[in-house]
Structure formats: structure tokens, C-alpha cells
């Protein structure tokens, strides 16, 4: 095997508004609390069960941080791609602690806003899609949200000449 893979994909909802900090060098760092849930029917009782898992997400990518700061809020539904990263820190009592987070860095990170309700509610500056940092350039771009082959069209706009 030539290498290994560290990739995390999440679809979930923000549990609180993004926390935005700026470093002394001017870089924005955004912290998110993202909840993912799974549901199932309990075999013994037949009752519907649900388990929610909370994920710490750290954005250290200027473009993604800008999108998160401007457009995300508590309850927003997002699609994220990043990598797991564990960091060691010391608490106030001097004990070493470890925290594992999903890191959206400069390369290979993606943030897609999945809330359609926000896109129709206001200004034209709301991105209808994703901001991405991929490849080796660490760039990032805003892309239109793909809502299906007929996104944004009413039935009257469809071509009547289609032979099927």
C-alpha cells in the first residue's frame, strides 16, 4: 500500500452559531459544533430510537471561514469534508488533555450549505452552494448549488419537445 487516507465527510446541523476568532497574523479560525443523528427501531420494544453525535469542526481556510462567518447560524444544515486531527493541550490544573476535531484546512476541504430556505429568503449575496479548497493551490471557490436538473424552474419552463 502506497499511503493512507485521512478523510471525514459529515452532513449535519450546527448546534450553535459559529465561533470566529482572528489570529495575530490576521487569519480567521472558525469553530463549529455539528450534530449528526441516526435513528432506528428498537428490536425488543419496537420504539423509535435516536442517537446524536456531536463533532468539533475547525475551519482554518480563509475562504471557507468567510462563508461560515457570513452565512451559517445555529440550525444550519451543512455538508463538510475535512480530516481528523488530534491536538494536545494542558488545562488550568496542569493536566494534559487531547481533543480530536474535524479540520477544514487549506487543501482538500469542502463546505456546502444545504439550507434552501436561506437562499430564497433574502439577498443575492447568499451563496447557493459550496466553498471548496481542493487540489494543491489551497484556493477555494464559490459554486452554484446543484438542485437537480430542473432547479429553479417551474413546470411551464420545461421544453415540450422532449420525445419521452
Amino acid at each position: 500500500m502506497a499511503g493512507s487516507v485521512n478523510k471525514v465527510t459529515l452532513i449535519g446541523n450546527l448546534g450553535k452559531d459559529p465561533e470566529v476568532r482572528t489570529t495575530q497574523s490576521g487569519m480567521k479560525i472558525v469553530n463549529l459544533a455539528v450534530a449528526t443523528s441516526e435513528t432506528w427501531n428498537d428490536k425488543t420494544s419496537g420504539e423509535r430510537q435516536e442517537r446524536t453525535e456531536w463533532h468539533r469542526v475547525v475551519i482554518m481556510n480563509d475562504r471557507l471561514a468567510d462563508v461560515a462567518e457570513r452565512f451559517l447560524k445555529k440550525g444550519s444544515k451543512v455538508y463538510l469534508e475535512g480530516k481528523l486531527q488530534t491536538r494536545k493541550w494542558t488545562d488550568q490544573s496542569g493536566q494534559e488533555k487531547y481533543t480530536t476535531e474535524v479540520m477544514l484546512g487549506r487543501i482538500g476541504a469542502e463546505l456546502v450549505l444545504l439550507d434552501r430556505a436561506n437562499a430564497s429568503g433574502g439577498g443575492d449575496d447568499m451563496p447557493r452552494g459550496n466553498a471548496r479548497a481542493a487540489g494543491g493551490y489551497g484556493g477555494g471557490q464559490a459554486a452554484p448549488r446543484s438542485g437537480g436538473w430542473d432547479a429553479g424552474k417551474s413546470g411551464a419552463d420545461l421544453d415540450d419537445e422532449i420525445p419521452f
Side-chain angles (χ1 to χ4, degrees), residues 1-33:
M1 183 170 183
S4 60
V5 176
N6 179 355
K7 184 172 184 175
V8 176
T9 302
L10 296 173
I11 296 176
N13 295 83
L14 269 58
K16 58 184 179 178
D17 289 343
E19 296 175 2
V20 182
R21 295 175 309 174
T22 305
T23 65
Q24 290 179 345
S25 66
M27 184 175 93
K28 283 185 186 177
I29 299 174
V30 179
N31 291 303
L32 306 175

Side-chain angles (χ1 to χ4, degrees), residues 7 9 26 30 32-33 48 51-52 54 61 72 78 85-86 88 93 98 107 120 125 133-134 149 157:
K7 184 172 184 175
T9 302
V30 179
L32 306 175
R48 192 91 173 134
R51 178 181 7 228
T52 300
W54 287 94
N61 172 304
L72 294 181
V78 293
Q85 182 170 301
T86 302
K88 182 169 104 174
S93 67
Y98 294 88
I107 299 174
S120 63
D125 62 342
W149 66 274
D157 292 334

Side-chain angles (χ1 to χ4, degrees), residues 63-161:
R63 290 189 137 183
L64 299 184
D66 184 51
V67 169
E69 180 181 29
R70 292 174 58 203
F71 302 111
L72 294 181
K73 63 184 188 303
K74 180 179 178 178
S76 295
K77 186 175 226 35
V78 293
Y79 169 93
L80 305 165
E81 283 186 17
K83 64 181 181 175
L84 281 183
Q85 182 170 301
T86 302
R87 61 184 172 87
K88 182 169 104 174
W89 54 283
T90 306
D91 69 8
Q92 293 177 344
S93 67
Q95 289 223 331
E96 289 184 346
K97 304 263 182 165
Y98 294 88
T99 301
T100 300
E101 302 162 321
V102 177
M103 175 65 67
L104 278 64
R106 292 191 296 179
I107 299 174
E110 187 167 353
L111 168 64
V112 180
L113 311 179
L114 298 177
D115 288 325
R116 279 199 156 290
N118 292 341
S120 63
D124 286 334
D125 62 342
M126 173 67 186
R128 287 162 175 71
N130 65 15
R132 172 184 314 218
Y137 65 92
Q141 62 187 30
R145 173 183 295 182
S146 60
W149 66 274
D150 63 342
K153 294 184 178 183
S154 67
D157 292 334
L158 297 176
D159 188 356
D160 290 333
E161 306 273 329

